[in-house]
Amino acid sequence: MAAQRVPMLQWLIQKGFLSADQANEATKMSQQTNSPIDKVIVQLGFAGEREVLQGKAQEQGLGFADLDRMTIDSSALNVVPERIVKNHSVIPVRKDGQTLYVAMKNSSNIAAIDDLRLASGCRVVPVLAVPGAIEDAIKKYYSASNAAPVDNTPAAAAAPTNTNFAKIMADAGVKQGSDFEEIGTREDEAAADAAPIIKLASAIIQQAITDRASDIHVEPGARAIRVRYRIDGVLMEAMTVPKNLMAPLISRYKIMADMNIAERRIPQDGRIEVRHGQKEIDLRVSSIPTPFGEKIVMRILDKSSVLLGLDSIGFTEENQLKIEELVSQPNGMFLCTGPTGSGKTTTQYSVLNILNTIGVNIITAEDPIEYQLNGIAQVQMNRKAGLTFATALRAYLRQDPDIIMVGEMRDLETAEIAIESSLTGHMVLSTLHTNDAPSATLRMIDMGVEPYLIAATIVGVLAQRLGRRIDSANKEPYEVTQMDLRRFGFNVTDPEALVTLYRGVPAENNRMTGYKGRTGFHELMTMNAELAELVVRRAPLNDLKEAAKSNGMKELREDGLVKVLSGITTPEEVMRVVFTAGY
Protein backbone atom coordinates (compact mmCIF):
# COMPACT_ATOMS: atom_id res chain seq x y z
CA MET A 1 0.00 0.00 0.00
CA ALA A 2 2.10 2.93 -1.21
CA ALA A 3 0.75 6.40 -0.55
CA GLN A 4 1.29 9.08 -3.17
CA ARG A 5 2.21 12.34 -1.44
CA VAL A 6 3.81 15.65 -2.35
CA PRO A 7 7.20 16.43 -0.74
CA MET A 8 7.09 19.19 1.85
CA LEU A 9 9.24 21.64 -0.15
CA GLN A 10 7.13 21.16 -3.27
CA TRP A 11 3.92 21.65 -1.27
CA LEU A 12 5.21 24.88 0.32
CA ILE A 13 6.14 26.21 -3.14
CA GLN A 14 2.75 25.21 -4.60
CA LYS A 15 0.94 26.98 -1.76
CA GLY A 16 3.03 30.12 -2.16
CA PHE A 17 4.67 29.89 1.26
CA LEU A 18 8.15 29.41 -0.24
CA SER A 19 9.89 30.47 -3.45
CA ALA A 20 12.08 28.12 -5.50
CA ASP A 21 15.17 30.21 -4.68
CA GLN A 22 14.40 30.06 -0.97
CA ALA A 23 13.92 26.29 -1.22
CA ASN A 24 17.36 25.91 -2.86
CA GLU A 25 19.01 28.13 -0.24
CA ALA A 26 17.39 26.23 2.62
CA THR A 27 18.43 22.90 1.10
CA LYS A 28 22.08 24.00 0.84
CA MET A 29 22.17 25.28 4.42
CA SER A 30 20.52 22.10 5.67
CA GLN A 31 23.24 20.05 4.02
CA GLN A 32 26.05 22.31 5.29
CA THR A 33 24.85 22.40 8.90
CA ASN A 34 23.41 18.88 8.97
CA SER A 35 20.15 20.35 10.31
CA PRO A 36 16.60 19.26 9.41
CA ILE A 37 15.38 21.33 6.50
CA ASP A 38 12.07 22.18 8.18
CA LYS A 39 13.92 23.85 11.06
CA VAL A 40 16.22 25.68 8.64
CA ILE A 41 13.25 27.14 6.75
CA VAL A 42 11.76 28.48 9.98
CA GLN A 43 15.11 29.79 11.26
CA LEU A 44 15.72 31.68 8.00
CA GLY A 45 12.24 33.17 8.24
CA PHE A 46 11.21 31.86 4.85
CA ALA A 47 7.98 30.31 6.22
CA GLY A 48 6.23 30.04 9.56
CA GLU A 49 6.31 26.99 11.82
CA ARG A 50 2.61 26.39 11.22
CA GLU A 51 2.96 26.29 7.42
CA VAL A 52 6.03 24.04 7.57
CA LEU A 53 4.24 21.57 9.85
CA GLN A 54 1.25 21.55 7.49
CA GLY A 55 3.63 20.61 4.69
CA LYS A 56 5.21 17.86 6.79
CA ALA A 57 1.78 16.54 7.72
CA GLN A 58 0.59 16.08 4.14
CA GLU A 59 3.99 14.66 3.14
CA GLN A 60 3.61 12.00 5.86
CA GLY A 61 -0.09 11.40 5.15
CA LEU A 62 -1.14 12.86 8.50
CA GLY A 63 -3.66 15.44 9.59
CA PHE A 64 -2.75 18.87 10.93
CA ALA A 65 -4.47 20.18 14.07
CA ASP A 66 -4.78 23.96 14.34
CA LEU A 67 -5.13 23.98 18.12
CA ASP A 68 -5.59 27.76 18.30
CA ARG A 69 -8.81 27.53 16.27
CA MET A 70 -10.28 24.07 16.74
CA THR A 71 -12.57 22.67 19.42
CA ILE A 72 -11.10 19.74 21.33
CA ASP A 73 -13.39 16.77 22.01
CA SER A 74 -13.92 16.13 25.74
CA SER A 75 -14.39 12.40 25.11
CA ALA A 76 -10.78 12.36 23.84
CA LEU A 77 -9.49 14.24 26.88
CA ASN A 78 -11.32 11.88 29.22
CA VAL A 79 -9.50 8.72 28.13
CA VAL A 80 -5.89 9.94 28.55
CA PRO A 81 -4.36 10.59 32.02
CA GLU A 82 -2.74 13.98 32.63
CA ARG A 83 0.67 12.45 33.39
CA ILE A 84 0.94 10.87 29.90
CA VAL A 85 -0.09 14.10 28.21
CA LYS A 86 2.53 16.13 30.08
CA ASN A 87 5.28 13.51 29.91
CA HIS A 88 5.12 13.30 26.12
CA SER A 89 3.88 16.84 25.33
CA VAL A 90 0.91 15.57 23.35
CA ILE A 91 -2.81 16.25 23.56
CA PRO A 92 -5.77 14.15 22.34
CA VAL A 93 -8.07 16.17 20.10
CA ARG A 94 -10.77 13.82 18.78
CA LYS A 95 -12.20 10.37 19.55
CA ASP A 96 -14.08 8.57 16.77
CA GLY A 97 -15.31 5.19 18.00
CA GLN A 98 -12.19 3.30 19.03
CA THR A 99 -9.84 5.64 17.16
CA LEU A 100 -8.08 8.40 19.10
CA TYR A 101 -6.51 11.32 17.21
CA VAL A 102 -3.60 12.88 19.14
CA ALA A 103 -1.78 16.13 18.35
CA MET A 104 2.00 15.62 18.49
CA LYS A 105 5.09 17.51 17.38
CA ASN A 106 6.78 14.28 16.31
CA SER A 107 4.64 11.54 14.74
CA SER A 108 7.44 8.98 15.12
CA ASN A 109 7.38 9.11 18.92
CA ILE A 110 6.63 5.39 19.34
CA ALA A 111 6.90 5.51 23.13
CA ALA A 112 4.18 8.16 23.31
CA ILE A 113 1.92 6.28 20.90
CA ASP A 114 2.31 3.03 22.90
CA ASP A 115 1.54 4.78 26.21
CA LEU A 116 -1.50 6.48 24.69
CA ARG A 117 -2.76 3.21 23.21
CA LEU A 118 -2.40 1.30 26.50
CA ALA A 119 -4.01 4.08 28.56
CA SER A 120 -6.95 4.70 26.24
CA GLY A 121 -7.55 1.25 24.78
CA CYS A 122 -7.90 2.94 21.39
CA ARG A 123 -6.06 2.87 18.08
CA VAL A 124 -3.90 6.01 18.15
CA VAL A 125 -3.60 8.17 15.03
CA PRO A 126 -1.05 11.00 15.32
CA VAL A 127 -1.72 14.43 13.83
CA LEU A 128 0.87 17.19 13.74
CA ALA A 129 0.51 20.47 15.61
CA VAL A 130 2.69 23.45 16.50
CA PRO A 131 4.66 22.55 19.69
CA GLY A 132 3.86 25.86 21.36
CA ALA A 133 0.15 25.38 20.66
CA ILE A 134 0.33 21.88 22.19
CA GLU A 135 1.85 23.29 25.40
CA ASP A 136 -0.79 26.03 25.55
CA ALA A 137 -3.56 23.46 25.09
CA ILE A 138 -2.13 21.25 27.85
CA LYS A 139 -2.11 24.21 30.23
CA LYS A 140 -5.62 25.14 29.19
CA TYR A 141 -7.23 21.72 29.51
CA TYR A 142 -5.09 20.01 32.14
CA SER A 143 -4.31 22.82 34.58
CA ALA A 144 -5.34 22.49 38.23
CA SER A 145 -8.45 24.56 37.60
CA ASN A 146 -9.42 22.48 34.58
CA ALA A 147 -9.00 18.98 35.98
CA ALA A 148 -12.44 17.80 34.92
CA PRO A 149 -11.22 15.62 32.01
CA VAL A 150 -9.32 13.33 34.38
CA ASP A 151 -11.18 13.93 37.65
CA ASN A 152 -14.16 11.67 38.36
CA THR A 153 -15.20 13.24 41.64
CA PRO A 154 -18.77 14.60 42.00
CA ALA A 155 -17.43 18.15 42.26
CA ALA A 156 -15.59 17.82 38.98
CA ALA A 157 -18.63 16.32 37.25
CA ALA A 158 -20.61 19.46 38.05
CA ALA A 159 -18.30 21.65 35.98
CA PRO A 160 -18.08 22.10 32.20
CA THR A 161 -15.66 19.59 30.71
CA ASN A 162 -14.91 20.87 27.24
CA THR A 163 -14.75 23.85 24.98
CA ASN A 164 -17.89 22.91 23.05
CA PHE A 165 -19.85 23.39 26.25
CA ALA A 166 -18.11 26.65 27.04
CA LYS A 167 -18.66 27.92 23.50
CA ILE A 168 -22.34 27.04 23.56
CA MET A 169 -22.76 28.65 26.96
CA ALA A 170 -21.04 31.79 25.74
CA ASP A 171 -23.08 31.89 22.52
CA ALA A 172 -26.24 31.45 24.56
CA GLY A 173 -25.26 34.29 26.87
CA VAL A 174 -25.48 32.03 29.92
CA LYS A 175 -23.26 32.85 32.90
CA GLN A 176 -21.71 30.07 34.95
CA GLY A 177 -22.11 29.95 38.70
CA SER A 178 -25.06 31.52 40.48
CA ASP A 179 -27.47 31.25 37.54
CA PHE A 180 -26.97 27.48 37.46
CA GLU A 181 -27.20 27.08 41.21
CA GLU A 182 -30.40 29.08 41.33
CA ILE A 183 -31.97 27.06 38.53
CA GLY A 184 -31.04 23.82 40.20
CA THR A 185 -33.01 24.72 43.32
CA ARG A 186 -36.28 25.73 41.61
CA GLU A 187 -39.22 23.60 40.61
CA ASP A 188 -38.65 21.96 37.22
CA GLU A 189 -41.52 23.76 35.51
CA ALA A 190 -40.37 27.21 36.60
CA ALA A 191 -36.72 26.42 35.94
CA ALA A 192 -37.54 25.26 32.42
CA ASP A 193 -38.83 28.76 31.66
CA ALA A 194 -35.74 30.51 33.06
CA ALA A 195 -33.78 32.47 30.46
CA PRO A 196 -30.45 30.60 30.88
CA ILE A 197 -32.07 27.19 30.35
CA ILE A 198 -34.07 28.42 27.35
CA LYS A 199 -30.86 29.71 25.77
CA LEU A 200 -28.92 26.55 26.62
CA ALA A 201 -31.59 24.22 25.18
CA SER A 202 -31.78 26.28 21.99
CA ALA A 203 -27.99 26.56 21.66
CA ILE A 204 -27.53 22.78 21.89
CA ILE A 205 -29.99 22.33 19.02
CA GLN A 206 -28.48 25.09 16.90
CA GLN A 207 -24.96 23.74 17.40
CA ALA A 208 -26.12 20.25 16.34
CA ILE A 209 -27.62 21.63 13.13
CA THR A 210 -24.43 23.60 12.44
CA ASP A 211 -22.39 20.41 12.93
CA ARG A 212 -24.65 18.55 10.41
CA ALA A 213 -25.91 16.15 13.08
CA SER A 214 -28.85 13.88 12.32
CA ASP A 215 -29.69 13.15 15.97
CA ILE A 216 -29.16 14.74 19.38
CA HIS A 217 -28.86 12.47 22.44
CA VAL A 218 -29.35 14.06 25.88
CA GLU A 219 -28.38 11.32 28.33
CA PRO A 220 -28.60 11.75 32.13
CA GLY A 221 -25.90 9.99 34.12
CA ALA A 222 -25.06 9.58 37.79
CA ARG A 223 -22.90 12.72 37.90
CA ALA A 224 -23.53 14.69 34.72
CA ILE A 225 -25.57 14.88 31.52
CA ARG A 226 -23.84 13.66 28.38
CA VAL A 227 -24.87 15.31 25.09
CA ARG A 228 -23.94 13.42 21.94
CA TYR A 229 -24.49 14.24 18.26
CA ARG A 230 -24.81 11.62 15.53
CA ILE A 231 -22.75 13.02 12.66
CA ASP A 232 -22.48 11.10 9.39
CA GLY A 233 -24.01 8.08 11.09
CA VAL A 234 -21.55 7.93 14.02
CA LEU A 235 -22.25 9.14 17.57
CA MET A 236 -19.75 11.70 18.90
CA GLU A 237 -19.69 13.29 22.33
CA ALA A 238 -20.41 17.00 22.08
CA MET A 239 -20.39 18.16 25.69
CA THR A 240 -21.04 17.30 29.32
CA VAL A 241 -23.62 19.40 31.17
CA PRO A 242 -23.69 19.79 34.98
CA LYS A 243 -26.04 17.36 36.73
CA ASN A 244 -28.01 20.13 38.46
CA LEU A 245 -29.24 21.29 35.05
CA MET A 246 -30.75 17.91 34.17
CA ALA A 247 -34.33 18.41 35.37
CA PRO A 248 -34.87 21.91 33.95
CA LEU A 249 -33.12 21.06 30.65
CA ILE A 250 -35.22 17.91 30.10
CA SER A 251 -38.37 19.79 31.10
CA ARG A 252 -37.52 22.55 28.65
CA TYR A 253 -37.27 20.11 25.75
CA LYS A 254 -40.54 18.45 26.78
CA ILE A 255 -42.28 21.83 26.88
CA MET A 256 -40.90 22.67 23.41
CA ALA A 257 -42.14 19.29 22.12
CA ASP A 258 -45.59 19.71 23.72
CA MET A 259 -45.11 16.68 26.01
CA ASN A 260 -46.48 16.16 29.51
CA ILE A 261 -43.64 17.36 31.74
CA ALA A 262 -45.31 15.94 34.87
CA GLU A 263 -45.20 12.39 33.43
CA ARG A 264 -41.76 10.83 33.86
CA ARG A 265 -42.58 7.11 34.05
CA ILE A 266 -43.52 6.28 30.46
CA PRO A 267 -42.04 7.01 27.00
CA GLN A 268 -43.39 10.06 25.17
CA ASP A 269 -43.11 11.47 21.66
CA GLY A 270 -43.32 15.03 20.39
CA ARG A 271 -42.17 17.47 17.76
CA ILE A 272 -40.22 20.74 17.77
CA GLU A 273 -40.01 23.27 14.94
CA VAL A 274 -37.02 25.61 14.79
CA ARG A 275 -35.38 27.95 12.30
CA HIS A 276 -31.68 27.77 11.46
CA GLY A 277 -30.70 30.62 9.18
CA GLN A 278 -33.10 30.47 6.24
CA LYS A 279 -34.03 26.83 6.86
CA GLU A 280 -37.04 25.40 8.66
CA ILE A 281 -36.00 22.38 10.72
CA ASP A 282 -38.28 19.82 12.37
CA LEU A 283 -37.12 17.76 15.33
CA ARG A 284 -38.84 14.49 16.18
CA VAL A 285 -38.48 14.10 19.94
CA SER A 286 -38.60 10.91 22.00
CA SER A 287 -38.19 10.52 25.77
CA ILE A 288 -37.73 7.33 27.79
CA PRO A 289 -37.30 6.86 31.56
CA THR A 290 -33.87 5.71 32.81
CA PRO A 291 -32.52 5.19 36.37
CA PHE A 292 -30.87 8.65 36.30
CA GLY A 293 -33.71 10.57 34.66
CA GLU A 294 -35.38 10.84 31.27
CA LYS A 295 -33.26 10.41 28.17
CA ILE A 296 -34.18 12.66 25.25
CA VAL A 297 -33.35 11.85 21.62
CA MET A 298 -34.15 14.37 18.90
CA ARG A 299 -34.09 13.37 15.22
CA ILE A 300 -33.22 16.42 13.09
CA LEU A 301 -35.30 16.58 9.92
CA ASP A 302 -34.15 19.10 7.34
CA LYS A 303 -37.07 19.69 5.00
CA SER A 304 -34.77 20.78 2.18
CA SER A 305 -32.97 17.41 2.18
CA VAL A 306 -35.96 15.58 0.69
CA LEU A 307 -36.11 17.93 -2.27
CA LEU A 308 -32.90 16.44 -3.62
CA GLY A 309 -33.01 14.33 -6.75
CA LEU A 310 -32.09 10.67 -6.77
CA ASP A 311 -28.73 11.56 -8.31
CA SER A 312 -27.90 13.67 -5.25
CA ILE A 313 -28.34 10.88 -2.70
CA GLY A 314 -25.85 8.42 -4.10
CA PHE A 315 -27.64 6.50 -6.86
CA THR A 316 -25.64 5.38 -9.85
CA GLU A 317 -27.04 6.51 -13.19
CA GLU A 318 -28.06 2.93 -13.98
CA ASN A 319 -30.05 2.46 -10.76
CA GLN A 320 -31.62 5.90 -11.02
CA LEU A 321 -32.96 5.22 -14.52
CA LYS A 322 -34.33 1.84 -13.43
CA ILE A 323 -36.13 3.34 -10.41
CA GLU A 324 -37.66 6.14 -12.46
CA GLU A 325 -38.91 3.55 -14.95
CA LEU A 326 -40.35 1.28 -12.23
CA VAL A 327 -42.28 3.96 -10.33
CA SER A 328 -43.67 5.52 -13.51
CA GLN A 329 -45.78 2.40 -14.15
CA PRO A 330 -49.55 2.81 -13.60
CA ASN A 331 -49.75 0.09 -10.96
CA GLY A 332 -47.57 -2.21 -8.89
CA MET A 333 -45.61 -2.06 -5.64
CA PHE A 334 -42.15 -0.59 -5.11
CA LEU A 335 -40.50 -1.36 -1.76
CA CYS A 336 -37.52 0.16 0.08
CA THR A 337 -35.80 -2.05 2.64
CA GLY A 338 -33.04 -1.59 5.19
CA PRO A 339 -32.48 -1.00 8.90
CA THR A 340 -33.56 2.11 10.80
CA GLY A 341 -31.56 5.14 9.70
CA SER A 342 -30.61 3.75 6.30
CA GLY A 343 -32.32 6.55 4.36
CA LYS A 344 -35.47 4.68 3.25
CA THR A 345 -37.77 7.64 3.99
CA THR A 346 -35.55 10.12 2.15
CA THR A 347 -35.54 7.84 -0.89
CA GLN A 348 -39.33 7.43 -0.80
CA TYR A 349 -39.85 11.20 -0.58
CA SER A 350 -37.38 11.74 -3.42
CA VAL A 351 -39.43 9.32 -5.52
CA LEU A 352 -42.64 11.16 -4.56
CA ASN A 353 -41.07 14.43 -5.72
CA ILE A 354 -40.53 12.86 -9.14
CA LEU A 355 -44.14 11.64 -9.28
CA ASN A 356 -45.76 14.73 -7.74
CA THR A 357 -47.31 16.49 -10.74
CA ILE A 358 -50.60 18.29 -11.27
CA GLY A 359 -52.08 15.25 -13.01
CA VAL A 360 -51.77 12.71 -10.18
CA ASN A 361 -53.40 12.29 -6.77
CA ILE A 362 -50.89 11.14 -4.13
CA ILE A 363 -51.90 10.11 -0.60
CA THR A 364 -49.57 8.91 2.15
CA ALA A 365 -50.07 7.02 5.42
CA GLU A 366 -47.20 7.81 7.78
CA ASP A 367 -46.24 7.27 11.40
CA PRO A 368 -44.95 9.85 11.93
CA ILE A 369 -45.00 12.38 9.09
CA GLU A 370 -41.32 13.27 8.86
CA TYR A 371 -41.50 15.88 6.11
CA GLN A 372 -44.45 17.86 4.80
CA LEU A 373 -44.63 18.08 1.00
CA ASN A 374 -46.75 20.50 -1.00
CA GLY A 375 -49.40 18.97 -3.26
CA ILE A 376 -49.54 15.64 -1.40
CA ALA A 377 -52.23 14.54 1.08
CA GLN A 378 -50.24 13.22 4.04
CA VAL A 379 -52.08 11.49 6.87
CA GLN A 380 -50.62 10.91 10.35
CA MET A 381 -51.53 7.55 11.88
CA ASN A 382 -53.23 7.67 15.29
CA ARG A 383 -53.57 4.27 16.94
CA LYS A 384 -55.41 5.63 19.97
CA ALA A 385 -58.11 7.04 17.69
CA GLY A 386 -58.21 3.83 15.65
CA LEU A 387 -56.44 5.27 12.60
CA THR A 388 -53.98 2.55 11.59
CA PHE A 389 -52.26 1.85 8.29
CA ALA A 390 -54.96 -0.70 7.44
CA THR A 391 -57.94 1.57 8.20
CA ALA A 392 -56.29 4.47 6.37
CA LEU A 393 -55.67 2.36 3.25
CA ARG A 394 -59.31 1.25 3.14
CA ALA A 395 -60.39 4.89 3.18
CA TYR A 396 -57.82 5.87 0.55
CA LEU A 397 -59.36 3.55 -2.04
CA ARG A 398 -62.44 5.83 -1.97
CA GLN A 399 -60.27 8.96 -2.45
CA ASP A 400 -59.50 8.31 -6.13
CA PRO A 401 -55.71 8.00 -5.60
CA ASP A 402 -53.14 7.32 -8.31
CA ILE A 403 -50.22 6.76 -5.96
CA ILE A 404 -50.28 5.61 -2.33
CA MET A 405 -47.31 5.63 0.03
CA VAL A 406 -47.48 3.47 3.15
CA GLY A 407 -44.84 4.43 5.71
CA GLU A 408 -44.16 0.83 6.68
CA MET A 409 -45.77 -2.57 6.12
CA ARG A 410 -45.89 -3.94 9.66
CA ASP A 411 -48.57 -6.63 9.54
CA LEU A 412 -50.60 -8.93 7.27
CA GLU A 413 -53.67 -6.69 7.14
CA THR A 414 -51.69 -3.67 5.92
CA ALA A 415 -49.80 -5.79 3.37
CA GLU A 416 -52.99 -7.34 1.97
CA ILE A 417 -54.70 -3.98 1.50
CA ALA A 418 -51.55 -2.53 -0.10
CA ILE A 419 -51.51 -5.47 -2.52
CA GLU A 420 -55.22 -5.03 -3.23
CA SER A 421 -54.52 -1.36 -3.99
CA SER A 422 -51.80 -2.22 -6.50
CA LEU A 423 -53.96 -4.88 -8.14
CA THR A 424 -56.76 -2.36 -8.66
CA GLY A 425 -54.63 0.09 -10.62
CA HIS A 426 -52.56 2.04 -8.09
CA MET A 427 -48.81 2.48 -7.63
CA VAL A 428 -47.95 1.66 -4.01
CA LEU A 429 -44.71 2.73 -2.31
CA SER A 430 -43.75 1.28 1.07
CA THR A 431 -40.88 0.10 3.29
CA LEU A 432 -39.87 -3.11 5.03
CA HIS A 433 -37.13 -4.00 7.49
CA THR A 434 -34.98 -6.61 5.74
CA ASN A 435 -31.23 -6.92 5.20
CA ASP A 436 -31.30 -7.17 1.40
CA ALA A 437 -33.69 -6.82 -1.53
CA PRO A 438 -34.54 -10.52 -2.22
CA SER A 439 -35.42 -11.04 1.48
CA ALA A 440 -38.38 -8.67 1.11
CA THR A 441 -40.46 -11.34 -0.65
CA LEU A 442 -39.68 -13.89 2.07
CA ARG A 443 -40.60 -11.36 4.76
CA MET A 444 -43.99 -10.81 3.18
CA ILE A 445 -44.54 -14.58 2.94
CA ASP A 446 -43.68 -14.81 6.66
CA MET A 447 -46.38 -12.19 7.30
CA GLY A 448 -48.88 -14.54 5.66
CA VAL A 449 -49.19 -12.95 2.20
CA GLU A 450 -49.83 -15.47 -0.58
CA PRO A 451 -46.73 -15.82 -2.80
CA TYR A 452 -48.71 -15.48 -6.05
CA LEU A 453 -49.95 -12.05 -4.91
CA ILE A 454 -46.39 -10.92 -4.16
CA ALA A 455 -45.20 -12.07 -7.60
CA ALA A 456 -48.12 -10.30 -9.27
CA THR A 457 -47.69 -6.92 -7.57
CA ILE A 458 -44.04 -6.18 -6.74
CA VAL A 459 -42.23 -4.39 -9.56
CA GLY A 460 -39.02 -3.69 -7.68
CA VAL A 461 -37.30 -3.81 -4.28
CA LEU A 462 -34.51 -1.42 -3.24
CA ALA A 463 -32.22 -2.28 -0.31
CA GLN A 464 -29.97 0.47 0.93
CA ARG A 465 -27.44 1.60 3.54
CA LEU A 466 -25.78 4.93 4.30
CA GLY A 467 -22.00 5.26 4.62
CA ARG A 468 -19.67 8.18 5.20
CA ARG A 469 -18.18 10.08 2.26
CA ILE A 470 -14.50 10.96 2.00
CA ASP A 471 -13.95 14.68 2.64
CA SER A 472 -13.36 15.84 -0.94
CA ALA A 473 -11.34 18.85 0.26
CA ASN A 474 -8.94 16.67 2.25
CA LYS A 475 -8.19 13.38 0.57
CA GLU A 476 -5.19 11.54 -0.81
CA PRO A 477 -4.59 8.60 -3.16
CA TYR A 478 -3.06 5.26 -2.12
CA GLU A 479 -2.73 1.84 -3.71
CA VAL A 480 -3.95 -1.66 -2.87
CA THR A 481 -3.69 -4.94 -4.74
CA GLN A 482 -6.63 -6.32 -6.70
CA MET A 483 -6.68 -9.22 -4.23
CA ASP A 484 -7.51 -6.81 -1.39
CA LEU A 485 -10.78 -5.91 -3.16
CA ARG A 486 -11.90 -9.43 -3.99
CA ARG A 487 -14.42 -9.63 -1.13
CA PHE A 488 -16.22 -6.59 -2.57
CA GLY A 489 -16.85 -8.42 -5.85
CA PHE A 490 -13.86 -6.96 -7.72
CA ASN A 491 -12.99 -8.88 -10.89
CA VAL A 492 -9.43 -10.00 -10.10
CA THR A 493 -7.35 -10.42 -13.25
CA ASP A 494 -3.91 -10.08 -11.63
CA PRO A 495 -3.84 -10.55 -7.82
CA GLU A 496 -0.69 -8.44 -7.42
CA ALA A 497 -1.74 -5.61 -9.75
CA LEU A 498 -2.25 -2.28 -7.98
CA VAL A 499 -5.49 -0.27 -7.86
CA THR A 500 -5.55 3.41 -6.85
CA LEU A 501 -8.08 4.30 -4.15
CA TYR A 502 -8.62 7.39 -1.99
CA ARG A 503 -8.87 8.06 1.73
CA GLY A 504 -9.65 11.15 3.77
CA VAL A 505 -6.98 13.13 5.58
CA PRO A 506 -7.99 14.10 9.14
CA ALA A 507 -8.63 17.85 9.34
CA GLU A 508 -10.55 20.24 11.53
CA ASN A 509 -13.40 20.71 9.05
CA ASN A 510 -14.06 16.93 9.01
CA ARG A 511 -13.69 16.55 12.81
CA MET A 512 -10.38 14.71 12.33
CA THR A 513 -12.17 11.71 10.77
CA GLY A 514 -11.35 12.22 7.07
CA TYR A 515 -15.08 11.89 6.29
CA LYS A 516 -17.70 14.53 5.57
CA GLY A 517 -21.30 13.77 4.63
CA ARG A 518 -22.85 10.46 3.62
CA THR A 519 -23.69 8.54 0.46
CA GLY A 520 -25.97 5.59 -0.25
CA PHE A 521 -25.13 1.99 -1.10
CA HIS A 522 -27.96 0.39 -3.08
CA GLU A 523 -29.17 -3.02 -4.21
CA LEU A 524 -32.04 -2.86 -6.73
CA MET A 525 -33.98 -6.03 -7.58
CA THR A 526 -36.46 -5.80 -10.46
CA MET A 527 -39.13 -8.47 -10.81
CA ASN A 528 -39.16 -10.66 -13.94
CA ALA A 529 -40.78 -13.97 -14.94
CA GLU A 530 -38.00 -16.11 -13.46
CA LEU A 531 -38.08 -14.34 -10.09
CA ALA A 532 -41.89 -14.39 -10.01
CA GLU A 533 -41.85 -18.16 -10.54
CA LEU A 534 -39.29 -18.63 -7.74
CA VAL A 535 -41.40 -16.52 -5.36
CA VAL A 536 -44.51 -18.56 -6.13
CA ARG A 537 -42.54 -21.79 -5.50
CA ARG A 538 -41.25 -20.36 -2.16
CA ALA A 539 -37.67 -20.84 -3.33
CA PRO A 540 -34.85 -20.33 -0.80
CA LEU A 541 -33.09 -16.99 -0.47
CA ASN A 542 -29.91 -18.07 -2.31
CA ASP A 543 -31.94 -19.05 -5.38
CA LEU A 544 -33.69 -15.68 -5.35
CA LYS A 545 -30.35 -13.87 -5.06
CA GLU A 546 -28.81 -15.74 -7.98
CA ALA A 547 -31.84 -15.07 -10.18
CA ALA A 548 -31.87 -11.39 -9.22
CA LYS A 549 -28.14 -11.05 -10.00
CA SER A 550 -28.59 -12.71 -13.37
CA ASN A 551 -31.33 -10.13 -13.99
CA GLY A 552 -28.86 -7.29 -13.41
CA MET A 553 -28.99 -6.72 -9.64
CA LYS A 554 -25.74 -5.47 -8.10
CA GLU A 555 -25.35 -6.40 -4.43
CA LEU A 556 -24.79 -3.76 -1.75
CA ARG A 557 -21.08 -4.59 -1.57
CA GLU A 558 -20.73 -4.25 -5.36
CA ASP A 559 -22.42 -0.85 -5.34
CA GLY A 560 -20.11 0.06 -2.48
CA LEU A 561 -17.14 -0.99 -4.62
CA VAL A 562 -18.28 1.40 -7.37
CA LYS A 563 -18.18 4.25 -4.83
CA VAL A 564 -14.78 3.10 -3.53
CA LEU A 565 -13.25 3.04 -7.02
CA SER A 566 -14.79 6.46 -7.73
CA GLY A 567 -13.07 7.95 -4.67
CA ILE A 568 -16.36 8.65 -2.90
CA THR A 569 -15.82 6.39 0.12
CA THR A 570 -13.40 3.81 1.54
CA PRO A 571 -13.36 -0.01 1.72
CA GLU A 572 -13.45 0.25 5.52
CA GLU A 573 -16.68 2.25 5.40
CA VAL A 574 -18.34 -0.24 3.05
CA MET A 575 -17.35 -3.07 5.39
CA ARG A 576 -18.71 -1.16 8.41
CA VAL A 577 -22.20 -0.61 7.04
CA VAL A 578 -22.70 -3.46 4.55
CA PHE A 579 -20.89 -6.58 5.73
CA THR A 580 -22.58 -8.75 8.36
CA ALA A 581 -21.69 -12.08 9.91
CA GLY A 582 -21.74 -14.80 7.26
CA TYR A 583 -21.95 -12.29 4.39
Side-chain angles (χ1 to χ4, degrees), residues 209 274-281 302 304-305:
I209 299 170
V274 299
R275 288 192 66 84
H276 182 76
Q278 300 300 315
K279 289 185 177 181
E280 292 184 2
I281 307 291
D302 182 357
S304 64
S305 66

Side-chain angles (χ1 to χ4, degrees), residues 73-75 78 95-98 162 164 168 204-205 207-209 211 213-220 225-231 233-241 249 253 295-300 511:
D73 188 348
S74 69
S75 62
N78 288 337
K95 186 172 181 289
D96 181 19
Q98 290 303 303
N162 61 27
N164 262 3
I168 285 179
I204 289 173
I205 292 174
Q207 184 65 44
I209 299 170
D211 289 348
S214 60
D215 300 85
I216 305 170
H217 291 241
V218 182
E219 304 166 323
I225 309 169
R226 180 172 66 172
V227 178
R228 293 193 290 174
Y229 297 157
R230 186 177 294 279
I231 300 174
V234 178
L235 276 173
M236 299 180 180
E237 185 166 321
M239 68 199 73
T240 303
V241 179
L249 183 61
Y253 283 131
K295 175 181 176 179
I296 296 282
V297 174
M298 291 172 274
R299 168 67 58 87
I300 299 173
R511 300 178 65 88

Side-chain angles (χ1 to χ4, degrees), residues 440-495:
T441 59
L442 301 182
R443 175 76 181 98
M444 293 182 71
I445 291 173
D446 288 341
M447 284 182 183
V449 179
E450 290 295 333
Y452 73 91
L453 292 175
I454 299 171
T457 54
I458 288 182
V459 295
V461 181
L462 175 73
Q464 67 181 63
R465 301 287 191 278
L466 288 177
R468 293 181 291 180
R469 298 177 66 101
I470 296 171
D471 180 3
S472 59
N474 296 279
K475 70 178 187 179
E476 63 176 7
Y478 70 104
E479 293 175 339
V480 299
T481 64
Q482 289 188 5
M483 201 66 180
D484 292 334
L485 299 176
R486 185 178 61 174
R487 69 183 305 177
F488 298 96
F490 188 86
N491 183 23
V492 177
T493 56
D494 179 358

